[in-house]
């Protein structure tokens, strides 16, 4: 039994190692409010494409349809969606690594896309808990990897305590550390939630 | 060296066990929000008189509001709004307080939002950053330790595996697969349309 738990702890840990590193790096950046990875204001690429368009009746549905027709990835941003006086639709499209501004010129059957690429740091932040991205099969696989790593982390924590508890080494020190840490953690979390 | 790395891996895990489990469980709740949708926040407002004479963007004024009106939580930086009012916010998991100070500084509207039990979990996961008060600075230190621990578990775990067995092929296959897939994903998002 112990042998099999150790094998699972070890090899699932090796499979999740890079994800835990990503969790750690991104969490440090969130905690220290590192802002350098927000979308650069600088335009990195711009292109146009002809696209047969029908009169816009629903902005969100049109934006989604345009995104899919262009084969692009990402979420449409409702708060960046607007129509101008000519009836043209303008919306933002976001996904890990890129922010796009999409301009739909209804009367000209044309779409213009302004791309703003992000840094490696921003991509790492975005991968933190990512469960999928519209139109991206790779992101769906990453979402499955996210699930696996969540479950592995819980199992690794429990099995780690099991290994320590069933060995004779560091028993007293471990009891002191574990007992003290659990008591402090529970008290602190309850205090934060109830008393703020 | 092996013994030292093993003790670091072990005792860091024991010390941060509850926080790391809390983060993974609440993170799982966030990823699967549709399974346990949070309730709509319950809001209540009250109008109050302000008797403080001084700058609204000072820490003394923030302390005055906290002590006088029982506003508790991680405090955000005061915002001076376009209409001349000042906005203050305090957050602790499950509860949000917002105070809008009138332009003359003599009155305020305080809105309390009860965010519900599910959002307590979300709040615990998202609570981060220094500068919210001493209690939340302590929480931020624990977040830093937990983050560093996740990196440490991975690196020390790889070392312990490498030193504990001569049959390393399965381990190398796991590492190649995991780091390879992660690298491909990062490069994909950097370069894809």
């Amino acid at each position: 039994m112990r042998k099999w738990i150790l094998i699972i702890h070890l090899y699932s840990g090796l499979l999740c190692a890079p994800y835990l590193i990503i969790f750690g790096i991104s969490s440090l950046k969130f905690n220290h409010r590192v802002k350098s990875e927000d979308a650069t204001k600088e335009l990195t690429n711009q292109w146009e494409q002809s696209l047969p368009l029908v009169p816009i009746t629903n902005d969100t549905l049109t934006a989604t349809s345009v995104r899919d027709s262009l084969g692009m990835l990402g979420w449409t941003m409702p708060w960046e969606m607007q129509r101008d006086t000519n009836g043209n639709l303008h919306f933002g499209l976001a996904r890990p690594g890129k922010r796009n501004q999409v301009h739909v010129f209804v009367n000209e059957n044309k779409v213009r896309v302004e791309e703003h690429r992000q840094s490696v740091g921003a991509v790492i932040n975005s991968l933190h808990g990512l469960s999928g991205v519209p139109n991206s099969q790779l992101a769906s696989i990453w979402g499955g990897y996210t699930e696996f790593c969540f479950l592995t982390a819980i199992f690794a924590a429990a099995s780690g305590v099991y290994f320590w508890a069933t060995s004779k080494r560091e028993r007293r020190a471990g009891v002191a550390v574990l007992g003290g840490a659990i008591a402090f953690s529970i008290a602190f979390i309850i205090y934060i939630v109830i008393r703020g | 060296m092996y013994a030292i790395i093993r003790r670091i891996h072990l005792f860091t895990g024991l010390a941060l066990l509850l926080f790391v489990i809390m983060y993974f469980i609440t993170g799982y709740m966030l990823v699967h929000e549709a399974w346990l949708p949070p309730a709509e926040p319950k809001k209540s407002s009250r109008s109050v008189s302000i008797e403080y004479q001084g700058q609204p963007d000072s820490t003394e004024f923030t302390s005055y509001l906290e002590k006088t009106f029982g506003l508790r939580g991680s405090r955000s930086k005061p915002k001076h709004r376009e209409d001349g009012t000042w906005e203050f916010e305090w957050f602790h998991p499950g509860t949000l307080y917002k105070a809008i100070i009138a332009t003359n500084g003599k009155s305020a509207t305080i809105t309390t939002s009860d965010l519900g039990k599910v959002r307590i979990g979300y709040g615990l996961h998202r609570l981060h950053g220094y500068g919210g008060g001493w209690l939340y600075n302590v929480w931020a230190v624990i977040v830093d330790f937990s983050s560093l621990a996740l990196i440490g578990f991975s690196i020390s775990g790889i070392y312990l595996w490498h030193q504990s067995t001569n049959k390393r092929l399965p381990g190398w296959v796991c590492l190649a697969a995991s780091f390879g897939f992660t690298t491909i994903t990062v490069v994909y998002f950097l370069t894809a349309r």
Side-chain angles (χ1 to χ4, degrees), chain B residues 104-119:
Chain B
N104 62 9
K106 291 194 164 63
S107 64
T109 303
I110 295 174
T111 304
T112 302
S113 300
D114 176 356
L115 304 174
K117 292 191 172 33
V118 173
R119 285 202 176 93

Side-chain angles (χ1 to χ4, degrees), chain B residues 21-41:
Chain B
I21 288 179
M22 182 272 290
Y23 276 116
F24 277 96
I25 289 176
T26 54
Y28 201 73
M29 286 166 62
L30 274 164
V31 168
H32 292 289
E33 194 174 323
W35 292 359
L36 197 60
E40 279 302 308

Side-chain angles (χ1 to χ4, degrees), chain B residues 49-108:
Chain B
S49 300
I50 305 281
E51 290 174 15
Y52 182 86
Q53 307 285 337
Q55 289 300 316
D57 57 347
S58 64
T59 48
E60 290 79 17
F61 185 60
T62 307
S63 297
Y64 164 80
L65 292 173
E66 289 168 0
K67 287 178 186 148
T68 309
F69 305 112
L71 304 172
R72 299 188 310 272
S74 175
R75 60 179 86 105
S76 303
K77 219 173 164 186
K79 289 182 208 158
H80 197 187
R81 309 205 303 184
E82 282 182 11
D83 59 2
T85 56
W86 283 86
E87 181 181 306
F88 292 74
E89 265 190 17
W90 294 263
F91 170 80
H92 64 96
T95 310
L96 176 68
Y97 298 105
K98 187 182 279 196
I100 307 293
I101 313 301
T103 47
N104 62 9
K106 291 194 164 63
S107 64

Side-chain angles (χ1 to χ4, degrees), chain A residues 13 15 17 22 27 48 96 115 123 135 137-138 143-145 154 161 169 173 177 187 194:
Chain A
L15 284 170
I22 282 178
S27 299
E48 290 185 0
E115 296 181 355
V123 172
N135 291 346
Q137 288 198 333
L138 186 65
Y145 185 42
I154 304 289
V161 175
R169 289 192 282 180
V177 168
I194 293 177

Side-chain angles (χ1 to χ4, degrees), chain B residues 150-184:
Chain B
L150 289 180
I151 299 170
F153 289 145
S154 298
I155 296 172
S156 60
I158 291 171
Y159 173 84
L160 292 172
W161 152 74
H162 189 267
Q163 295 301 106
S164 64
T165 180
N166 289 326
K167 295 177 186 170
R168 294 183 183 138
L169 182 61
W172 282 123
V173 169
C174 288
L175 285 175
S178 59
F179 279 92
F181 174 60
T182 301
T183 303
I184 287 169

